[in-house]
Amino acid sequence: MYKILLVSGALALSSFATNALADGAVTGAASGAITGAIVGGPVGAAIGGVAGGVAGAVVDPPPREVVTYVEQQPAPTSRVVVEQPIVVGKPLPADVVVTPVPDNPKYAYTVVNDRRVIVEPRTHRVVQVIE
């Protein structure tokens, strides 16, 4: 019974977060709490909420102007190949050169494995992969 109440509360939080706030961290926390509650009960809900909040905070997409700018830039003449998967929230290798977005220094971009990738310039953390 306690697990059902906990999951119901987490679902309500998820609905509130999605509709009212549309915030990645809150949505991630709610989703993580739901998954954690189903798998591990109350302790799983707490751990899942924290992990989901961290993951949700990472994947907030960049503004449309940044995506449009990156899409319109010419492709580089030399190819950059990275063996590891390119995953939102994970950093690119430090030796990958990124180009800052002029009107928004919060973002930079590069082309890796023939895909345009928007990153956080300081950490090289992937923010969005443009398909």
Side-chain angles (χ1 to χ4, degrees), residues 62 65-67 69-78 80 92-112 115-125 127-128 130:
E65 308 83 55
V66 171
V67 175
Y69 176 83
V70 171
E71 288 173 333
Q72 293 174 348
Q73 297 310 300
T77 54
S78 60
V80 176
L92 293 175
D95 60 339
V96 174
V97 177
V98 298
T99 304
V101 174
D103 291 338
N104 198 330
K106 184 178 175 185
Y107 300 101
Y109 71 95
T110 189
V111 178
V112 178
R115 294 172 24 191
R116 293 174 190 267
V117 181
I118 300 173
V119 299
E120 187 179 79
R122 188 175 50 81
T123 62
H124 279 205
R125 187 173 304 211
V127 176
Q128 183 172 350
I130 300 173

mmCIF file of all heavy atoms in Angstrom, residues 62 65-67 69-78 80 92-112 115-125 127-128 130:
data_model
loop_
_atom_site.group_PDB
_atom_site.id
_atom_site.type_symbol
_atom_site.label_atom_id
_atom_site.label_comp_id
_atom_site.label_asym_id
_atom_site.label_seq_id
_atom_site.Cartn_x
_atom_site.Cartn_y
_atom_site.Cartn_z
ATOM 1 N N PRO A 62 19.367 23.399 -25.873
ATOM 2 C CA PRO A 62 19.754 24.792 -26.109
ATOM 3 C C PRO A 62 18.620 25.549 -26.790
ATOM 4 O O PRO A 62 17.714 24.951 -27.372
ATOM 5 C CB PRO A 62 20.960 24.665 -27.037
ATOM 6 C CG PRO A 62 20.768 23.371 -27.734
ATOM 7 C CD PRO A 62 20.068 22.475 -26.746
ATOM 8 N N GLU A 65 17.691 29.335 -31.449
ATOM 9 C CA GLU A 65 18.645 30.143 -32.213
ATOM 10 C C GLU A 65 20.015 29.471 -32.283
ATOM 11 O O GLU A 65 20.706 29.551 -33.291
ATOM 12 C CB GLU A 65 18.838 31.535 -31.589
ATOM 13 C CG GLU A 65 17.591 32.320 -31.318
ATOM 14 C CD GLU A 65 16.929 31.945 -29.990
ATOM 15 O OE1 GLU A 65 17.566 31.992 -28.922
ATOM 16 O OE2 GLU A 65 15.746 31.590 -30.040
ATOM 17 N N VAL A 66 20.413 28.816 -31.194
ATOM 18 C CA VAL A 66 21.706 28.128 -31.163
ATOM 19 C C VAL A 66 21.676 26.940 -32.119
ATOM 20 O O VAL A 66 22.604 26.732 -32.903
ATOM 21 C CB VAL A 66 22.062 27.687 -29.724
ATOM 22 C CG1 VAL A 66 23.282 26.777 -29.713
ATOM 23 C CG2 VAL A 66 22.279 28.908 -28.839
ATOM 24 N N VAL A 67 20.603 26.163 -32.073
ATOM 25 C CA VAL A 67 20.481 25.001 -32.965
ATOM 26 C C VAL A 67 20.505 25.455 -34.425
ATOM 27 O O VAL A 67 21.218 24.880 -35.247
ATOM 28 C CB VAL A 67 19.198 24.202 -32.652
ATOM 29 C CG1 VAL A 67 19.003 23.068 -33.651
ATOM 30 C CG2 VAL A 67 19.237 23.657 -31.231
ATOM 31 N N TYR A 69 21.805 28.178 -35.684
ATOM 32 C CA TYR A 69 23.154 28.637 -36.018
ATOM 33 C C TYR A 69 24.071 27.453 -36.336
ATOM 34 O O TYR A 69 24.777 27.448 -37.345
ATOM 35 C CB TYR A 69 23.733 29.467 -34.864
ATOM 36 C CG TYR A 69 25.161 29.878 -35.108
ATOM 37 C CD1 TYR A 69 25.445 31.001 -35.886
ATOM 38 C CD2 TYR A 69 26.223 29.147 -34.593
ATOM 39 C CE1 TYR A 69 26.753 31.371 -36.131
ATOM 40 C CE2 TYR A 69 27.524 29.506 -34.836
ATOM 41 C CZ TYR A 69 27.793 30.628 -35.610
ATOM 42 O OH TYR A 69 29.093 30.981 -35.860
ATOM 43 N N VAL A 70 24.051 26.449 -35.481
ATOM 44 C CA VAL A 70 24.922 25.281 -35.670
ATOM 45 C C VAL A 70 24.558 24.538 -36.955
ATOM 46 O O VAL A 70 25.432 24.106 -37.700
ATOM 47 C CB VAL A 70 24.861 24.353 -34.436
ATOM 48 C CG1 VAL A 70 25.579 23.039 -34.686
ATOM 49 C CG2 VAL A 70 25.437 25.072 -33.216
ATOM 50 N N GLU A 71 23.278 24.413 -37.240
ATOM 51 C CA GLU A 71 22.845 23.721 -38.462
ATOM 52 C C GLU A 71 23.317 24.451 -39.718
ATOM 53 O O GLU A 71 23.593 23.817 -40.740
ATOM 54 C CB GLU A 71 21.316 23.613 -38.492
ATOM 55 C CG GLU A 71 20.757 22.629 -37.496
ATOM 56 C CD GLU A 71 19.235 22.655 -37.426
ATOM 57 O OE1 GLU A 71 18.618 23.701 -37.723
ATOM 58 O OE2 GLU A 71 18.668 21.613 -37.052
ATOM 59 N N GLN A 72 23.436 25.769 -39.661
ATOM 60 C CA GLN A 72 23.771 26.563 -40.841
ATOM 61 C C GLN A 72 25.272 26.703 -41.094
ATOM 62 O O GLN A 72 25.669 27.174 -42.156
ATOM 63 C CB GLN A 72 23.142 27.954 -40.727
ATOM 64 C CG GLN A 72 21.638 27.913 -40.790
ATOM 65 C CD GLN A 72 21.006 29.274 -40.538
ATOM 66 O OE1 GLN A 72 21.662 30.214 -40.108
ATOM 67 N NE2 GLN A 72 19.713 29.373 -40.810
ATOM 68 N N GLN A 73 26.088 26.289 -40.146
ATOM 69 C CA GLN A 73 27.533 26.432 -40.326
ATOM 70 C C GLN A 73 28.065 25.385 -41.298
ATOM 71 O O GLN A 73 27.592 24.249 -41.336
ATOM 72 C CB GLN A 73 28.253 26.303 -38.982
ATOM 73 C CG GLN A 73 27.871 27.385 -38.006
ATOM 74 C CD GLN A 73 27.973 28.763 -38.629
ATOM 75 O OE1 GLN A 73 29.027 29.195 -39.062
ATOM 76 N NE2 GLN A 73 26.839 29.460 -38.691
ATOM 77 N N PRO A 74 29.068 25.769 -42.119
ATOM 78 C CA PRO A 74 29.633 24.793 -43.058
ATOM 79 C C PRO A 74 30.334 23.660 -42.316
ATOM 80 O O PRO A 74 30.892 23.864 -41.237
ATOM 81 C CB PRO A 74 30.624 25.620 -43.877
ATOM 82 C CG PRO A 74 30.843 26.877 -43.121
ATOM 83 C CD PRO A 74 29.690 27.072 -42.193
ATOM 84 N N ALA A 75 30.278 22.502 -42.905
ATOM 85 C CA ALA A 75 30.944 21.336 -42.307
ATOM 86 C C ALA A 75 32.455 21.510 -42.421
ATOM 87 O O ALA A 75 32.955 22.031 -43.418
ATOM 88 C CB ALA A 75 30.504 20.061 -43.013
ATOM 89 N N PRO A 76 33.198 21.094 -41.421
ATOM 90 C CA PRO A 76 34.655 21.205 -41.497
ATOM 91 C C PRO A 76 35.222 20.272 -42.563
ATOM 92 O O PRO A 76 34.605 19.273 -42.919
ATOM 93 C CB PRO A 76 35.124 20.798 -40.100
ATOM 94 C CG PRO A 76 34.001 20.025 -39.516
ATOM 95 C CD PRO A 76 32.747 20.499 -40.177
ATOM 96 N N THR A 77 36.399 20.625 -43.057
ATOM 97 C CA THR A 77 37.010 19.801 -44.105
ATOM 98 C C THR A 77 37.625 18.526 -43.545
ATOM 99 O O THR A 77 37.686 17.519 -44.237
ATOM 100 C CB THR A 77 38.095 20.603 -44.858
ATOM 101 O OG1 THR A 77 39.028 21.116 -43.901
ATOM 102 C CG2 THR A 77 37.459 21.744 -45.623
ATOM 103 N N SER A 78 38.083 18.556 -42.295
ATOM 104 C CA SER A 78 38.661 17.346 -41.707
ATOM 105 C C SER A 78 37.631 16.661 -40.807
ATOM 106 O O SER A 78 36.882 17.324 -40.095
ATOM 107 C CB SER A 78 39.916 17.681 -40.904
ATOM 108 O OG SER A 78 39.600 18.577 -39.866
ATOM 109 N N VAL A 80 36.318 14.380 -37.696
ATOM 110 C CA VAL A 80 36.648 14.001 -36.327
ATOM 111 C C VAL A 80 35.869 12.730 -36.017
ATOM 112 O O VAL A 80 34.651 12.695 -36.152
ATOM 113 C CB VAL A 80 36.268 15.116 -35.323
ATOM 114 C CG1 VAL A 80 36.518 14.661 -33.899
ATOM 115 C CG2 VAL A 80 37.020 16.392 -35.634
ATOM 116 N N LEU A 92 32.576 15.054 -24.341
ATOM 117 C CA LEU A 92 33.407 14.597 -25.457
ATOM 118 C C LEU A 92 34.841 14.527 -24.958
ATOM 119 O O LEU A 92 35.193 15.178 -23.968
ATOM 120 C CB LEU A 92 33.330 15.592 -26.616
ATOM 121 C CG LEU A 92 31.996 15.729 -27.334
ATOM 122 C CD1 LEU A 92 32.084 16.854 -28.374
ATOM 123 C CD2 LEU A 92 31.617 14.428 -28.011
ATOM 124 N N PRO A 93 35.699 13.754 -25.628
ATOM 125 C CA PRO A 93 37.112 13.750 -25.234
ATOM 126 C C PRO A 93 37.686 15.171 -25.265
ATOM 127 O O PRO A 93 37.307 15.999 -26.098
ATOM 128 C CB PRO A 93 37.766 12.863 -26.293
ATOM 129 C CG PRO A 93 36.661 11.977 -26.786
ATOM 130 C CD PRO A 93 35.418 12.820 -26.718
ATOM 131 N N ALA A 94 38.607 15.453 -24.363
ATOM 132 C CA ALA A 94 39.170 16.799 -24.215
ATOM 133 C C ALA A 94 39.906 17.270 -25.465
ATOM 134 O O ALA A 94 40.021 18.473 -25.699
ATOM 135 C CB ALA A 94 40.102 16.842 -23.011
ATOM 136 N N ASP A 95 40.392 16.348 -26.285
ATOM 137 C CA ASP A 95 41.152 16.756 -27.474
ATOM 138 C C ASP A 95 40.261 17.133 -28.659
ATOM 139 O O ASP A 95 40.759 17.588 -29.686
ATOM 140 C CB ASP A 95 42.146 15.675 -27.884
ATOM 141 C CG ASP A 95 41.488 14.349 -28.234
ATOM 142 O OD1 ASP A 95 40.349 14.112 -27.798
ATOM 143 O OD2 ASP A 95 42.125 13.550 -28.947
ATOM 144 N N VAL A 96 38.944 16.986 -28.530
ATOM 145 C CA VAL A 96 38.029 17.394 -29.596
ATOM 146 C C VAL A 96 37.905 18.918 -29.543
ATOM 147 O O VAL A 96 37.562 19.488 -28.510
ATOM 148 C CB VAL A 96 36.641 16.731 -29.443
ATOM 149 C CG1 VAL A 96 35.655 17.284 -30.463
ATOM 150 C CG2 VAL A 96 36.760 15.220 -29.585
ATOM 151 N N VAL A 97 38.191 19.570 -30.658
ATOM 152 C CA VAL A 97 38.129 21.030 -30.735
ATOM 153 C C VAL A 97 36.676 21.462 -30.937
ATOM 154 O O VAL A 97 35.986 20.935 -31.815
ATOM 155 C CB VAL A 97 39.003 21.548 -31.901
ATOM 156 C CG1 VAL A 97 38.880 23.054 -32.039
ATOM 157 C CG2 VAL A 97 40.454 21.133 -31.698
ATOM 158 N N VAL A 98 36.230 22.409 -30.108
ATOM 159 C CA VAL A 98 34.876 22.936 -30.234
ATOM 160 C C VAL A 98 34.946 24.412 -30.613
ATOM 161 O O VAL A 98 35.897 25.105 -30.290
ATOM 162 C CB VAL A 98 34.053 22.738 -28.936
ATOM 163 C CG1 VAL A 98 33.902 21.271 -28.609
ATOM 164 C CG2 VAL A 98 34.650 23.495 -27.779
ATOM 165 N N THR A 99 33.919 24.877 -31.324
ATOM 166 C CA THR A 99 33.835 26.263 -31.777
ATOM 167 C C THR A 99 32.733 26.967 -30.992
ATOM 168 O O THR A 99 31.593 26.481 -30.969
ATOM 169 C CB THR A 99 33.503 26.300 -33.286
ATOM 170 O OG1 THR A 99 34.489 25.545 -33.982
ATOM 171 C CG2 THR A 99 33.456 27.718 -33.804
ATOM 172 N N PRO A 100 33.035 28.088 -30.360
ATOM 173 C CA PRO A 100 32.000 28.795 -29.597
ATOM 174 C C PRO A 100 30.889 29.333 -30.499
ATOM 175 O O PRO A 100 31.134 29.689 -31.651
ATOM 176 C CB PRO A 100 32.744 29.959 -28.944
ATOM 177 C CG PRO A 100 34.186 29.729 -29.189
ATOM 178 C CD PRO A 100 34.327 28.737 -30.287
ATOM 179 N N VAL A 101 29.684 29.389 -29.966
ATOM 180 C CA VAL A 101 28.564 30.031 -30.660
ATOM 181 C C VAL A 101 28.681 31.524 -30.330
ATOM 182 O O VAL A 101 28.607 31.900 -29.157
ATOM 183 C CB VAL A 101 27.211 29.458 -30.195
ATOM 184 C CG1 VAL A 101 26.057 30.235 -30.802
ATOM 185 C CG2 VAL A 101 27.119 27.980 -30.534
ATOM 186 N N PRO A 102 28.886 32.388 -31.337
ATOM 187 C CA PRO A 102 29.203 33.798 -31.077
ATOM 188 C C PRO A 102 28.179 34.548 -30.221
ATOM 189 O O PRO A 102 28.554 35.298 -29.338
ATOM 190 C CB PRO A 102 29.281 34.428 -32.468
ATOM 191 C CG PRO A 102 29.452 33.302 -33.407
ATOM 192 C CD PRO A 102 28.867 32.091 -32.760
ATOM 193 N N ASP A 103 26.903 34.358 -30.456
ATOM 194 C CA ASP A 103 25.892 35.118 -29.732
ATOM 195 C C ASP A 103 25.465 34.473 -28.417
ATOM 196 O O ASP A 103 24.627 35.038 -27.706
ATOM 197 C CB ASP A 103 24.651 35.324 -30.612
ATOM 198 C CG ASP A 103 24.932 36.265 -31.769
ATOM 199 O OD1 ASP A 103 25.901 37.053 -31.669
ATOM 200 O OD2 ASP A 103 24.196 36.215 -32.769
ATOM 201 N N ASN A 104 26.012 33.301 -28.103
ATOM 202 C CA ASN A 104 25.637 32.627 -26.871
ATOM 203 C C ASN A 104 26.834 31.843 -26.350
ATOM 204 O O ASN A 104 27.005 30.660 -26.670
ATOM 205 C CB ASN A 104 24.432 31.709 -27.109
ATOM 206 C CG ASN A 104 23.750 31.341 -25.809
ATOM 207 O OD1 ASN A 104 24.394 31.262 -24.777
ATOM 208 N ND2 ASN A 104 22.451 31.119 -25.866
ATOM 209 N N PRO A 105 27.687 32.460 -25.533
ATOM 210 C CA PRO A 105 28.908 31.798 -25.063
ATOM 211 C C PRO A 105 28.676 30.605 -24.142
ATOM 212 O O PRO A 105 29.612 29.905 -23.807
ATOM 213 C CB PRO A 105 29.657 32.918 -24.325
ATOM 214 C CG PRO A 105 28.615 33.912 -23.966
ATOM 215 C CD PRO A 105 27.540 33.807 -25.024
ATOM 216 N N LYS A 106 27.429 30.361 -23.794
ATOM 217 C CA LYS A 106 27.099 29.193 -22.972
ATOM 218 C C LYS A 106 27.220 27.903 -23.787
ATOM 219 O O LYS A 106 27.285 26.815 -23.243
ATOM 220 C CB LYS A 106 25.668 29.360 -22.438
ATOM 221 C CG LYS A 106 25.215 28.289 -21.502
ATOM 222 C CD LYS A 106 23.806 28.588 -20.996
ATOM 223 C CE LYS A 106 23.292 27.452 -20.142
ATOM 224 N NZ LYS A 106 21.911 27.659 -19.732
ATOM 225 N N TYR A 107 27.269 28.031 -25.140
ATOM 226 C CA TYR A 107 27.289 26.863 -26.018
ATOM 227 C C TYR A 107 28.446 26.932 -27.013
ATOM 228 O O TYR A 107 28.899 28.009 -27.397
ATOM 229 C CB TYR A 107 25.971 26.756 -26.794
ATOM 230 C CG TYR A 107 24.779 26.609 -25.889
ATOM 231 C CD1 TYR A 107 23.963 27.693 -25.604
ATOM 232 C CD2 TYR A 107 24.477 25.387 -25.298
ATOM 233 C CE1 TYR A 107 22.877 27.573 -24.763
ATOM 234 C CE2 TYR A 107 23.396 25.261 -24.456
ATOM 235 C CZ TYR A 107 22.603 26.354 -24.188
ATOM 236 O OH TYR A 107 21.530 26.223 -23.338
ATOM 237 N N ALA A 108 28.876 25.755 -27.420
ATOM 238 C CA ALA A 108 29.854 25.602 -28.496
ATOM 239 C C ALA A 108 29.388 24.409 -29.320
ATOM 240 O O ALA A 108 28.454 23.701 -28.940
ATOM 241 C CB ALA A 108 31.248 25.370 -27.943
ATOM 242 N N TYR A 109 30.050 24.182 -30.447
ATOM 243 C CA TYR A 109 29.640 23.053 -31.280
ATOM 244 C C TYR A 109 30.858 22.447 -31.971
ATOM 245 O O TYR A 109 31.929 23.036 -32.034
ATOM 246 C CB TYR A 109 28.602 23.483 -32.315
ATOM 247 C CG TYR A 109 29.160 24.357 -33.410
ATOM 248 C CD1 TYR A 109 29.569 23.806 -34.622
ATOM 249 C CD2 TYR A 109 29.304 25.728 -33.234
ATOM 250 C CE1 TYR A 109 30.103 24.610 -35.616
ATOM 251 C CE2 TYR A 109 29.829 26.526 -34.218
ATOM 252 C CZ TYR A 109 30.230 25.960 -35.412
ATOM 253 O OH TYR A 109 30.771 26.741 -36.393
ATOM 254 N N THR A 110 30.638 21.273 -32.484
ATOM 255 C CA THR A 110 31.632 20.568 -33.285
ATOM 256 C C THR A 110 30.898 19.553 -34.147
ATOM 257 O O THR A 110 29.700 19.349 -33.986
ATOM 258 C CB THR A 110 32.689 19.882 -32.385
ATOM 259 O OG1 THR A 110 33.748 19.381 -33.198
ATOM 260 C CG2 THR A 110 32.089 18.751 -31.568
ATOM 261 N N VAL A 111 31.620 18.931 -35.051
ATOM 262 C CA VAL A 111 31.054 17.849 -35.855
ATOM 263 C C VAL A 111 31.874 16.604 -35.538
ATOM 264 O O VAL A 111 33.087 16.575 -35.774
ATOM 265 C CB VAL A 111 31.084 18.166 -37.369
ATOM 266 C CG1 VAL A 111 30.532 16.997 -38.168
ATOM 267 C CG2 VAL A 111 30.292 19.434 -37.658
ATOM 268 N N VAL A 112 31.213 15.610 -34.981
ATOM 269 C CA VAL A 112 31.872 14.368 -34.582
ATOM 270 C C VAL A 112 31.126 13.206 -35.211
ATOM 271 O O VAL A 112 29.892 13.145 -35.135
ATOM 272 C CB VAL A 112 31.883 14.212 -33.046
ATOM 273 C CG1 VAL A 112 32.527 12.904 -32.631
ATOM 274 C CG2 VAL A 112 32.579 15.388 -32.391
ATOM 275 N N ARG A 115 28.159 14.018 -37.290
ATOM 276 C CA ARG A 115 26.960 14.544 -36.639
ATOM 277 C C ARG A 115 27.325 15.840 -35.916
ATOM 278 O O ARG A 115 28.358 15.918 -35.255
ATOM 279 C CB ARG A 115 26.409 13.536 -35.636
ATOM 280 C CG ARG A 115 25.905 12.296 -36.339
ATOM 281 C CD ARG A 115 25.511 11.154 -35.457
ATOM 282 N NE ARG A 115 25.134 11.471 -34.106
ATOM 283 C CZ ARG A 115 24.967 10.565 -33.167
ATOM 284 N NH1 ARG A 115 25.143 9.297 -33.446
ATOM 285 N NH2 ARG A 115 24.624 10.904 -31.956
ATOM 286 N N ARG A 116 26.491 16.843 -36.058
ATOM 287 C CA ARG A 116 26.718 18.107 -35.355
ATOM 288 C C ARG A 116 26.331 17.929 -33.890
ATOM 289 O O ARG A 116 25.279 17.378 -33.570
ATOM 290 C CB ARG A 116 25.909 19.224 -35.999
ATOM 291 C CG ARG A 116 26.405 19.523 -37.398
ATOM 292 C CD ARG A 116 25.520 20.529 -38.110
ATOM 293 N NE ARG A 116 25.907 20.601 -39.507
ATOM 294 C CZ ARG A 116 26.779 21.475 -39.989
ATOM 295 N NH1 ARG A 116 27.323 22.371 -39.205
ATOM 296 N NH2 ARG A 116 27.096 21.472 -41.275
ATOM 297 N N VAL A 117 27.212 18.416 -33.020
ATOM 298 C CA VAL A 117 27.038 18.223 -31.587
ATOM 299 C C VAL A 117 27.180 19.578 -30.891
ATOM 300 O O VAL A 117 28.169 20.278 -31.096
ATOM 301 C CB VAL A 117 28.089 17.228 -31.038
ATOM 302 C CG1 VAL A 117 27.905 17.008 -29.549
ATOM 303 C CG2 VAL A 117 28.032 15.912 -31.789
ATOM 304 N N ILE A 118 26.191 19.934 -30.091
ATOM 305 C CA ILE A 118 26.250 21.152 -29.291
ATOM 306 C C ILE A 118 26.716 20.758 -27.901
ATOM 307 O O ILE A 118 26.219 19.801 -27.314
ATOM 308 C CB ILE A 118 24.871 21.841 -29.244
ATOM 309 C CG1 ILE A 118 24.429 22.209 -30.665
ATOM 310 C CG2 ILE A 118 24.927 23.082 -28.352
ATOM 311 C CD1 ILE A 118 23.023 22.748 -30.760
ATOM 312 N N VAL A 119 27.709 21.508 -27.404
ATOM 313 C CA VAL A 119 28.321 21.163 -26.119
ATOM 314 C C VAL A 119 28.406 22.385 -25.218
ATOM 315 O O VAL A 119 28.278 23.523 -25.656
ATOM 316 C CB VAL A 119 29.742 20.580 -26.308
ATOM 317 C CG1 VAL A 119 29.719 19.315 -27.139
ATOM 318 C CG2 VAL A 119 30.681 21.606 -26.905
ATOM 319 N N GLU A 120 28.652 22.109 -23.956
ATOM 320 C CA GLU A 120 28.990 23.138 -22.984
ATOM 321 C C GLU A 120 30.497 23.349 -23.134
ATOM 322 O O GLU A 120 31.272 22.410 -22.942
ATOM 323 C CB GLU A 120 28.631 22.596 -21.598
ATOM 324 C CG GLU A 120 28.745 23.558 -20.480
ATOM 325 C CD GLU A 120 28.325 22.876 -19.196
ATOM 326 O OE1 GLU A 120 29.147 22.122 -18.629
ATOM 327 O OE2 GLU A 120 27.179 23.107 -18.765
ATOM 328 N N PRO A 121 30.953 24.539 -23.515
ATOM 329 C CA PRO A 121 32.363 24.703 -23.882
ATOM 330 C C PRO A 121 33.367 24.421 -22.763
ATOM 331 O O PRO A 121 34.436 23.871 -23.020
ATOM 332 C CB PRO A 121 32.466 26.161 -24.335
ATOM 333 C CG PRO A 121 31.208 26.816 -23.956
ATOM 334 C CD PRO A 121 30.194 25.759 -23.667
ATOM 335 N N ARG A 122 33.033 24.748 -21.547
ATOM 336 C CA ARG A 122 33.987 24.576 -20.446
ATOM 337 C C ARG A 122 34.242 23.100 -20.142
ATOM 338 O O ARG A 122 35.372 22.702 -19.877
ATOM 339 C CB ARG A 122 33.456 25.292 -19.203
ATOM 340 C CG ARG A 122 34.425 25.355 -18.051
ATOM 341 C CD ARG A 122 33.871 26.173 -16.897
ATOM 342 N NE ARG A 122 32.518 25.808 -16.497
ATOM 343 C CZ ARG A 122 32.217 24.785 -15.713
ATOM 344 N NH1 ARG A 122 33.165 23.999 -15.263
ATOM 345 N NH2 ARG A 122 30.955 24.538 -15.389
ATOM 346 N N THR A 123 33.196 22.287 -20.208
ATOM 347 C CA THR A 123 33.318 20.878 -19.817
ATOM 348 C C THR A 123 33.285 19.910 -20.990
ATOM 349 O O THR A 123 33.536 18.726 -20.803
ATOM 350 C CB THR A 123 32.165 20.492 -18.870
ATOM 351 O OG1 THR A 123 30.926 20.649 -19.574
ATOM 352 C CG2 THR A 123 32.169 21.343 -17.610
ATOM 353 N N HIS A 124 32.940 20.408 -22.190
ATOM 354 C CA HIS A 124 32.736 19.573 -23.387
ATOM 355 C C HIS A 124 31.564 18.613 -23.223
ATOM 356 O O HIS A 124 31.428 17.650 -23.969
ATOM 357 C CB HIS A 124 34.006 18.794 -23.747
ATOM 358 C CG HIS A 124 35.002 19.604 -24.499
ATOM 359 N ND1 HIS A 124 35.914 19.037 -25.321
ATOM 360 C CD2 HIS A 124 35.254 20.928 -24.552
ATOM 361 C CE1 HIS A 124 36.687 19.957 -25.844
ATOM 362 N NE2 HIS A 124 36.296 21.134 -25.392
ATOM 363 N N ARG A 125 30.710 18.845 -22.250
ATOM 364 C CA ARG A 125 29.545 17.993 -22.014
ATOM 365 C C ARG A 125 28.541 18.187 -23.150
ATOM 366 O O ARG A 125 28.198 19.304 -23.510
ATOM 367 C CB ARG A 125 28.898 18.349 -20.687
ATOM 368 C CG ARG A 125 27.781 17.403 -20.284
ATOM 369 C CD ARG A 125 27.316 17.720 -18.925
ATOM 370 N NE ARG A 125 28.492 17.665 -18.057
ATOM 371 C CZ ARG A 125 28.467 17.310 -16.800
ATOM 372 N NH1 ARG A 125 27.349 16.997 -16.225
ATOM 373 N NH2 ARG A 125 29.566 17.283 -16.084
ATOM 374 N N VAL A 127 25.238 18.633 -25.035
ATOM 375 C CA VAL A 127 23.933 19.190 -24.695
ATOM 376 C C VAL A 127 22.886 18.679 -25.681
ATOM 377 O O VAL A 127 21.768 18.371 -25.306
ATOM 378 C CB VAL A 127 23.980 20.731 -24.720
ATOM 379 C CG1 VAL A 127 22.608 21.324 -24.469
ATOM 380 C CG2 VAL A 127 24.990 21.254 -23.725
ATOM 381 N N GLN A 128 23.259 18.579 -26.966
ATOM 382 C CA GLN A 128 22.335 18.084 -27.980
ATOM 383 C C GLN A 128 23.126 17.541 -29.161
ATOM 384 O O GLN A 128 24.159 18.081 -29.534
ATOM 385 C CB GLN A 128 21.405 19.196 -28.451
ATOM 386 C CG GLN A 128 20.371 18.732 -29.454
ATOM 387 C CD GLN A 128 19.343 19.818 -29.765
ATOM 388 O OE1 GLN A 128 19.284 20.847 -29.115
ATOM 389 N NE2 GLN A 128 18.553 19.580 -30.781
ATOM 390 N N ILE A 130 22.540 16.864 -33.111
ATOM 391 C CA ILE A 130 21.619 17.202 -34.193
ATOM 392 C C ILE A 130 21.711 16.096 -35.229
ATOM 393 O O ILE A 130 22.765 15.844 -35.787
ATOM 394 C CB ILE A 130 21.978 18.573 -34.809
ATOM 395 C CG1 ILE A 130 21.885 19.649 -33.730
ATOM 396 C CG2 ILE A 130 21.057 18.878 -35.976
ATOM 397 C CD1 ILE A 130 22.377 21.002 -34.172
#
